[in-house]
Amino acid sequence: MDTRRLGANGPEVSAIGYGAMSFSDLYGPTNEAESHAVLNACRDLGVTHLDTANIYGMGKSENAIGSYLKENPKARDEFIIATKATITRDPEGNRIFDNSAEHLEAELDKSLLRLGLECVDLFYAHRRDTRFTPEETAANLGRLVEKGKTRAIGLSEIAPSTLRRAMTEFPITAVQSEYSLSTRAPELGLVQTCAELGVAMVAFSPVGRSLLTDHPIPVERISDIPFLAGNPRFMEPNYSENIRIMESFRKLASEMGTTSAGLANAWLLSRGPHVIPIPGTRSVQHLRECISGASLSLTETDLERIEAVLPVGWAHGDRYSAQQWIGPERYC
């Protein structure tokens, strides 16, 4: 597995990491044994970067990683572990964001307990809390570095302007955003700003929540997955159109001797040496398909062929519904 640097002065991590949202039940039921099997596969495949969050299964994802590390103590030295906090609920149960120093530290403390760690490698503010300036959020996160609870800090789903302002207060190691062949908005400034400032661009949902794979989530399962049931790209008639268009990409991947997931991740790696995809899956076989992209070296002709079958803007439907858009910053 090739490696990439997590930020200008950060550690070397595998070119493709793992997004542990799949250790929660968001995309279907899972259990600790299945999660541990994926972590075993990560070690076998050379995947060293794990990304989780306090809200993934309300601690279930972090607990799965923590129990694995307890059973496999040597694994701690093999993994670079990131987690996130900010998303919470008010007394009435409404989804809100809290980037206060007190909330971030309290949530990180809980995450450390679940993970069985004294310090994580990277801690993100999961969403922008507009009650705080970018500088204030960076300062609040930076104090946790100074206290030895995280080695570095990051921001998620933010605008390039927010990153520039936050960087004036405390070094930002990584910015996380949805980025894939089906979601290319980060190319309108965020990818470039990260490269300019020496910040890692961590791309979540690099296979389009299964659309960019050989095995998209079938329509009959979508109603059982609340997030997708309300997501425009998985609602009819958008879903059927996206599946139809993807047939050309799957055919192209086959012609190139790889899988759709492998090709989708390889395309992301071609976007710049600072781009690090973090696919998530409950399946070891699907993980292998995603990771295979790290061994592909795409030529200009390959990239042109990909662009021909999946041109910018091909996807039908927005990546989020109006409700899901609450929190991520729009900047174009």
Side-chain angles (χ1 to χ4, degrees), residues 106-227:
E107 290 303 310
L108 178 54
D109 286 344
K110 295 174 188 175
S111 293
L112 291 171
L113 283 174
R114 287 189 286 265
L115 292 164
L117 302 175
E118 295 182 356
C119 176
V120 291
D121 299 294
L122 176 60
F123 183 56
Y124 293 90
H126 209 161
R127 291 290 187 271
R128 168 92 189 270
D129 177 355
T130 55
R131 297 175 303 161
F132 298 88
T133 66
E135 294 87 350
E136 289 170 334
T137 294
N140 291 342
L141 289 166
R143 292 189 189 99
L144 299 174
V145 176
E146 295 163 355
K147 289 186 175 185
K149 296 185 178 185
T150 181
R151 294 186 175 91
I153 63 170
L155 301 171
S156 177
E157 294 273 49
I158 52 96
S161 56
T162 295
L163 174 60
R164 291 186 184 280
R165 290 179 59 181
M167 284 285 281
T168 65
E169 182 64 35
F170 202 93
I172 305 299
T173 290
V175 166
Q176 190 168 126
S177 184
E178 182 176 357
Y179 184 28
S180 71
L181 276 164
S182 55
T183 298
R184 295 179 63 172
E187 294 175 352
L188 298 175
L190 190 58
V191 175
Q192 297 89 335
T193 302
C194 285
E196 175 191 339
L197 299 178
V199 175
M201 172 76 206
V202 178
F204 73 81
S205 295
V207 293
R209 308 185 193 280
S210 84
L211 286 177
L212 297 164
T213 73
D214 293 331
H215 311 283
I217 294 172
V219 66
E220 59 268 20
R221 278 195 57 218
I222 292 174
S223 62
D224 297 326
I225 305 173
F227 178 85

Side-chain angles (χ1 to χ4, degrees), residues 1-329:
M1 171 74 74
D2 289 338
T3 61
R4 297 191 165 193
R5 189 166 295 281
L6 193 62
N9 301 305
E12 293 284 328
V13 297
S14 52
I16 298 178
Y18 178 76
M21 180 185 282
S22 295
F23 290 169
S24 70
D25 298 322
L26 182 70
Y27 291 108
T30 188
N31 57 49
E32 188 174 87
E34 292 173 341
S35 298
H36 285 194
V38 169
L39 289 171
N40 280 331
C42 283
R43 295 173 74 187
D44 291 341
L45 294 166
V47 175
T48 62
H49 181 42
L50 302 180
D51 180 273
T52 185
N54 63 343
I55 65 162
Y56 292 169
M58 302 311 293
K60 182 175 181 178
S61 175
E62 291 177 329
N63 281 329
I65 295 172
S67 62
Y68 183 86
L69 295 177
K70 185 176 181 179
E71 293 178 11
N72 302 271
K74 293 182 180 179
R76 177 62 188 102
D77 294 331
E78 299 174 26
F79 288 132
I80 301 298
I81 298 174
T83 192
K84 303 180 282 292
T86 288
I87 302 172
T88 185
R89 294 192 180 276
D90 65 17
E92 287 72 44
N94 300 306
R95 189 170 185 260
I96 61 170
F97 311 113
D98 190 345
N99 283 351
S100 66
E102 295 77 15
H103 178 79
L104 290 171
E105 184 168 11
E107 290 303 310
L108 178 54
D109 286 344
K110 295 174 188 175
S111 293
L112 291 171
L113 283 174
R114 287 189 286 265
L115 292 164
L117 302 175
E118 295 182 356
C119 176
V120 291
D121 299 294
L122 176 60
F123 183 56
Y124 293 90
H126 209 161
R127 291 290 187 271
R128 168 92 189 270
D129 177 355
T130 55
R131 297 175 303 161
F132 298 88
T133 66
E135 294 87 350
E136 289 170 334
T137 294
N140 291 342
L141 289 166
R143 292 189 189 99
L144 299 174
V145 176
E146 295 163 355
K147 289 186 175 185
K149 296 185 178 185
T150 181
R151 294 186 175 91
I153 63 170
L155 301 171
S156 177
E157 294 273 49
I158 52 96
S161 56
T162 295
L163 174 60
R164 291 186 184 280
R165 290 179 59 181
M167 284 285 281
T168 65
E169 182 64 35
F170 202 93
I172 305 299
T173 290
V175 166
Q176 190 168 126
S177 184
E178 182 176 357
Y179 184 28
S180 71
L181 276 164
S182 55
T183 298
R184 295 179 63 172
E187 294 175 352
L188 298 175
L190 190 58
V191 175
Q192 297 89 335
T193 302
C194 285
E196 175 191 339
L197 299 178
V199 175
M201 172 76 206
V202 178
F204 73 81
S205 295
V207 293
R209 308 185 193 280
S210 84
L211 286 177
L212 297 164
T213 73
D214 293 331
H215 311 283
I217 294 172
V219 66
E220 59 268 20
R221 278 195 57 218
I222 292 174
S223 62
D224 297 326
I225 305 173
F227 178 85
L228 295 186
N231 185 282
R233 290 186 178 171
F234 289 82
M235 300 170 70
E236 294 293 5
N238 294 336
Y239 175 83
S240 293
E241 280 298 301
N242 289 330
I243 295 297
R244 181 187 63 79
I245 294 169
M246 269 300 300
E247 290 177 2
S248 296
F249 183 71
R250 287 194 290 275
K251 181 180 178 182
L252 175 61
S254 179
E255 291 173 356
M256 296 173 67
T258 187
T259 64
S260 297
L263 188 56
N265 280 287
W267 179 86
L268 273 169
L269 293 175
S270 77
R271 301 298 89 188
H274 64 303
V275 177
I276 303 171
I278 51 167
T281 178
R282 297 173 295 154
S283 162
V284 170
Q285 178 56 37
H286 291 168
L287 176 65
R288 292 182 183 278
E289 292 178 11
C290 287
I291 300 307
S292 68
S295 63
L296 297 176
S297 181
L298 301 181
T299 66
E300 285 301 317
T301 299
D302 293 333
L303 295 173
E304 289 171 1
R305 294 177 71 190
I306 293 170
E307 197 78 25
V309 297
L310 292 184
V312 177
W314 69 269
H316 285 57
D318 201 348
R319 74 178 179 105
Y320 283 151
S321 66
Q323 185 65 29
Q324 293 163 351
W325 262 118
I326 297 174
E329 285 194 286

